[in-house]
Amino acid sequence: METTIELRNSSEGTTARNSENATRDAPEITEELPAYEEEPQKKWYYSLKGDPRWIDASPNFTAYAPHVVIVLFVLSLIEIVIGTLWIVQYNQGMTFQGIIQPIIIPVMSFFNTVPSGHLHLFAHVNPPMLAISFSSILALCYLLTAIMYVASCRSGTPRTLQKAECYRNFDNNGLGGPTKGIWGAVVAFAWLSFVGYTLHAYMAWVVWGWMKRRPRDEHGMVIDPNMDPAKKARREALARERWRKMGSEFA
């Protein structure tokens, strides 16, 4: 019994000495962190307001980017339906060129508007450079598609392009194809989608330019005049403490 008590006392003494050494070796924090209540955890929720940065950049212009994305989403669904009718009316002789324009490009638009709408309407964080990249590519695809459709029915256009793109040759070649009404609807929606994606890309460009022009401090951090002073002091103190710990680890 006496041996057990001696071992316990010795282990408690060793633990106390180790705790004192750790406390003595730890870096001292000379400044007190200001009292500040932690921010509540943000949750995803549906809102047409979208990313606050897009609202601050231009409340009367870029703030309506979520509405543009919703319109593009609806257009992509309509284009997929019409493109399906386009392909169904072929009897034979379907080519890859006859599929990529009425079906594949609208499907690309659909799979672009779904995550873009999520970033605008639910996450409320949509990086402008990401929107510029994808919207510019799709705008270019729709522009080339619409030009090819219109140019295919012009005189002097190569015969291969006329055969695959112009509705006038569909009934004459015996292979079937979309009617004039479906052809006109596909061309019209291609132009509308081009305008929509061009508008969304330009909105993102405006937001990106506004973000680049915002005032910054000597550390490159954005200066927000509307930020609560206590919140700002708390963030700066936490950042200094984080850098102090990182410096002590690599020292």
Side-chain angles (χ1 to χ4, degrees):
M1 180 66 69
E2 294 178 357
T3 304
T4 303
I5 294 174
E6 291 177 358
L7 291 174
R8 182 180 301 172
N9 292 335
S10 62
S11 63
E12 291 177 355
T14 303
T15 303
R17 286 193 299 273
N18 293 336
S19 177
E20 292 176 358
N21 294 334
T23 304
R24 185 175 59 255
D25 296 338
E28 296 182 359
I29 302 177
T30 57
E31 54 184 281
E32 296 183 357
L33 297 180
Y36 175 72
E37 296 182 359
E38 295 294 336
E39 299 180 7
Q41 185 177 2
K42 296 183 179 180
K43 298 182 179 180
W44 288 345
Y45 61 93
Y46 175 80
S47 174
L48 280 174
K49 293 182 178 180
D51 191 335
R53 296 174 300 179
W54 291 60
I55 300 176
D56 295 337
S58 179
N60 297 323
F61 181 56
T62 56
Y64 293 96
H67 302 77
V68 176
V69 173
I70 292 176
V71 172
L72 290 171
F73 173 75
V74 175
L75 287 176
S76 67
L77 294 178
I78 298 175
E79 291 170 2
I80 292 174
V81 174
I82 298 177
T84 304
L85 297 176
W86 175 299
I87 293 177
V88 167
Q89 292 184 357
Y90 273 101
N91 297 330
Q92 55 182 341
M94 173 60 66
T95 61
F96 179 71
Q97 188 178 6
I99 297 176
I100 188 172
Q101 291 177 231
I103 284 294
I104 296 182
I105 293 180
V107 169
M108 291 171 54
S109 176
F110 171 79
F111 283 107
N112 175 74
T113 54
V114 170
S116 180
H118 168 77
L119 293 175
H120 273 297
L121 304 174
F122 291 93
H124 309 295
V125 177
N126 194 355
M129 285 305 300
L130 183 67
I132 292 173
S133 302
F134 285 94
S135 296
S136 299
I137 293 174
L138 285 168
L140 180 61
C141 290
Y142 274 112
L143 177 61
L144 295 177
T145 297
I147 291 176
M148 289 180 66
Y149 280 137
V150 175
S152 64
C153 292
R154 297 285 183 178
S155 58
T157 306
R159 180 65 180 174
T160 304
L161 183 61
Q162 290 183 4
K163 184 178 179 180
E165 303 291 340
C166 184
Y167 67 92
R168 297 174 184 173
N169 299 289
F170 294 149
D171 295 332
N172 299 330
N173 56 25
L175 302 178
T179 61
K180 181 179 178 180
I182 293 181
W183 182 90
V186 170
V187 175
F189 282 113
W191 282 114
L192 289 176
S193 296
F194 162 70
V195 173
Y197 275 110
T198 303
L199 178 62
H200 189 254
Y202 180 68
M203 287 180 170
W205 180 267
V206 172
V207 175
W208 179 79
W210 171 81
M211 292 176 61
K212 296 293 289 184
R213 293 191 300 269
R214 287 190 298 178
R216 299 175 182 270
D217 57 15
E218 63 275 8
H219 303 291
M221 302 299 293
V222 176
I223 300 176
D224 187 1
N226 298 324
M227 182 179 292
D228 183 28
K231 178 180 177 181
K232 180 180 179 181
R234 174 67 175 177
R235 288 186 176 181
E236 292 177 350
L238 292 176
R240 287 193 298 269
E241 180 64 19
R242 192 179 300 113
W243 281 106
R244 186 183 294 114
K245 290 182 179 179
M246 292 177 61
S248 61
E249 291 178 359
F250 290 98

